[in-house]
Amino acid sequence: MTFEQDTIVAISTPPGRGGIGIVRLSGPRAKEIAEPLLRLRHALAAGQARFAEVLDPDTGLVLDEAVVTYFQGPRSYTSEDVVEIAAHGSPVLLGAIVQACLDRGARLAEPGEFTQRAFLAGRLDLTQAEAVHDLIESSTLHQARVAARQLGGSLSRVLSPIKESLIQLIAALEAGIDFAEDDLDLMPQPEIAARIAGVEAPLRALADSYRYGRIVREGFTLAIVGKPNAGKSSLFNRLLQRDRAIVTAQPGTTRDPIQERLSLGGIPVELIDTAGLREAPAGPEGEAERQGIARSGAAMAEADVVLLVVDATDPDHGEAFETWSKLEGRAALLVVNKADLIAAPPAFPVPHRIVSAKTGAGVEELKEALLQTFAHAAPTGDSALITNLRQHGAIAAALAALSAAARALRETMPHEMLLLDLYQTLESLDSLTGATTADDILRLIFSTFCIGK
Ligand code: GDP
């Protein structure tokens, strides 16, 4: 079904020069607009790529050679007629092709409009449209895989039976009200309660998956803290596998937190190497270090995970234990470094990992342990993930309305009241996949897209 009457055009490949650049047209006049710009040996045919010469509309001379693919609606990305002209990737050339299309009556596409049309035509639901965006934005393969699962409809598949049971409950209650005089048995209270709980449990699991989903999408920050010379910079470099932080035998060299990004099991990690946790020397000479220490305290307070490094050869771990006790309740790992310098593992009263930043011993296990910090939040197998705040907000609203329904039931309110809350739940779930979405939500989502998508 086509909702839009105008034909849109945009450069769909990234800005700048490249081997190939693609101009995409979508809408009822896509083929009619594109054809006069091309000299084709064989006419455009649905689902087939054709070699073509692109003509300069001003001079009529050949401007480039291109491969042109025509997708006949509804079998296209947008469900409309689509023409893709893959020319050489020169911004000037692609700009000229777009201009020629505009001159022939196409309109420049708004950001995300191609995907929006796919949504409006019902080819993608909202969570899938968001997944297109996530897929393009992904910076690790793991993120891409999660987005691809969502694009494949994983979230919608999980939601649809939940919605189905909710609708069934609503229908049963409505029937009970409408046909009360006809002696139709009202659903007993415990059964209604059980059905509400049956909707709530999987929704709660989805809401909980956001903790991990957010980490997949945005990654986490990891602060490395500890006394000077414990080997923080060396461990930082080991984790990054290159020499970024300056390692010296002089205590107090790492003054400012140094940040780097790495991918740990496909999850982006912002690694922060901090100044040593200790008193800076008094007077002006200690100023730079004092500032560094203050900043490292802030980095530690804000980090999602803290690695506290201690030197295995250090006879005094009092300070480390004090820091460790302050980290209670946080995602934190205690790391005993310089394992290569000691004969026997130290007897530590708290759980710890033993590594050597110098030899690399224990570092792979440490990375594994770091990922495990979030593993309890990671859903298994092919299950769906809530990856953005909009989705999380919709599920949270659905859950809130559902608890209100459960309360109304406990307080033996009339079923009409209960129904209001259940409809509210349904509306929140609808806003997740887009069945009854208001225009402003749509605009919000598609405005984060760039032109040509
Ligand atoms: P930071 O002040 O905590 O950042 O510590 P550095 O990473 O600068 O290391 C301090 C000193 O300890 C340097 O001389 C490092 O070469 C040394 N060092 C760090 N890790 C190890 C290790 O695992 N084994 C050994 N033998 N020396 C290490």
Side-chain angles (χ1 to χ4, degrees):
M1 204 192 320
T2 302
F3 290 84
E4 304 284 332
Q5 288 309 307
D6 48 357
T7 296
I8 52 172
V9 64
I11 301 173
S12 282
T13 36
R17 287 166 212 285
I20 291 173
I22 296 178
V23 172
R24 178 146 74 172
L25 279 149
S26 177
R29 294 186 55 221
K31 192 159 166 271
E32 175 196 326
I33 290 172
E35 268 168 342
L37 309 173
L38 307 167
R39 186 185 291 150
L40 291 150
R41 269 178 230 157
H42 302 283
L44 292 177
Q48 302 210 3
R50 293 275 189 254
F51 174 81
E53 286 169 330
V54 180
L55 303 176
D56 183 338
D58 293 338
T59 63
L61 299 175
V62 174
L63 201 55
D64 193 14
E65 294 178 341
V67 172
V68 180
T69 316
Y70 168 52
F71 303 89
Q72 191 169 31
R75 297 179 66 180
S76 74
Y77 182 70
T78 57
S79 287
E80 304 172 329
D81 278 3
V82 168
V83 173
E84 289 183 359
I85 304 172
H88 288 107
S90 142
V92 180
L93 171 70
L94 298 173
I97 297 175
V98 168
Q99 188 56 54
C101 294
L102 296 177
D103 292 344
R104 296 193 43 81
R107 164 171 77 67
L108 205 55
E110 305 274 345
E113 198 173 359
F114 289 95
T115 312
Q116 185 173 11
R117 288 188 171 197
F119 164 74
L120 290 173
R123 210 185 67 72
L124 297 175
D125 71 22
L126 264 193
T127 66
Q128 290 172 311
E130 284 173 318
V132 172
H133 181 253
D134 286 355
L135 193 59
I136 293 168
E137 292 295 317
S138 57
S139 56
T140 74
L141 190 56
H142 185 62
Q143 289 177 320
R145 286 180 180 144
V146 169
R149 273 214 305 261
Q150 189 165 318
L151 180 56
S154 63
L155 188 52
S156 324
R157 267 198 302 281
V158 170
L159 280 170
S160 105
I162 302 177
K163 247 170 145 169
E164 190 55 44
S165 0
L166 181 62
I167 291 168
Q168 278 173 7
L169 176 59
I170 290 175
L173 292 176
E174 288 278 19
I177 292 168
D178 288 349
F179 304 106
E181 309 85 61
D182 305 341
D183 273 351
L184 196 86
D185 280 344
L186 280 183
M187 191 184 277
Q189 205 254 16
E191 172 158 8
I192 302 176
R195 290 222 200 174
I196 290 178
V199 173
E200 190 190 346
L203 278 185
R204 183 130 345 251
L206 267 183
D208 289 346
S209 76
Y210 180 56
R211 194 172 118 76
Y212 183 74
R214 187 185 72 90
I215 283 162
V216 168
R217 195 181 149 103
E218 292 164 20
F220 63 90
T221 51
L222 173 69
I224 305 184
V225 301
K227 274 163 83 173
N229 252 10
K232 297 180 296 298
S233 309
S234 309
L235 191 58
F236 182 85
N237 289 333
R238 222 353 127 176
L239 289 170
L240 286 172
Q241 302 200 303
R242 62 196 146 95
D243 286 343
R244 165 72 172 78
I246 315 141
V247 181
T248 68
Q250 290 288 313
T253 19
T254 315
R255 294 258 162 83
D256 286 323
I258 297 175
Q259 307 203 356
E260 283 281 352
R261 277 177 93 77
L262 83 157
S263 157
L264 207 62
I267 294 178
V269 181
E270 182 101 357
L271 199 57
I272 308 161
D273 178 17
T274 64
L277 292 175
R278 58 154 207 169
E279 295 293 312
E285 64 278 15
E287 185 50 31
E289 199 171 333
R290 262 197 303 281
Q291 286 180 10
I293 290 168
R295 273 195 289 275
S296 98
M300 185 167 103
E302 284 167 17
D304 293 311
V305 185
V306 179
L307 266 191
L308 175 60
V309 185
V310 300
D311 181 340
T313 65
D314 187 346
D316 177 17
H317 294 306
E319 190 182 325
F321 290 142
E322 202 180 303
T323 310
W324 184 250
S325 64
K326 285 186 201 145
L327 289 170
E328 185 149 2
R330 301 270 310 269
L333 287 176
L334 181 62
V335 181
V336 179
N337 185 34
K338 309 197 187 178
D340 56 301
L341 295 181
I342 50 164
F348 263 60
V350 289
H352 59 278
R353 310 266 150 188
I354 300 173
V355 305
S356 167
K358 188 172 181 182
T359 66
V363 172
E364 282 311 309
E365 290 83 348
L366 176 63
K367 287 185 179 174
E368 203 44 50
L370 273 172
L371 282 177
Q372 288 300 316
T373 352
F374 295 106
H376 61 279
T380 46
D382 188 39
S383 53
L385 269 186
I386 295 291
T387 51
N388 70 37
L389 198 58
R390 187 195 77 82
Q391 295 168 354
H392 184 255
I395 296 220
L399 279 168
L402 213 50
S403 332
R407 198 173 334 113
L409 184 69
R410 276 196 309 275
E411 292 169 1
T412 57
M413 304 260 233
H415 282 183
E416 281 87 347
M417 301 299 286
L418 189 63
L419 272 168
L420 281 183
D421 293 324
L422 294 178
Y423 275 119
Q424 186 66 51
T425 310
L426 186 61
E427 202 175 295
S428 301
L429 292 183
D430 272 348
S431 76
L432 199 60
T433 45
T436 51
T437 311
D439 269 349
D440 45 348
I441 302 181
L442 283 183
R443 231 179 307 116
L444 204 70
I445 291 169
F446 291 107
S447 66
T448 64
F449 277 73
C450 42
I451 307 258
K453 244 182 264 168

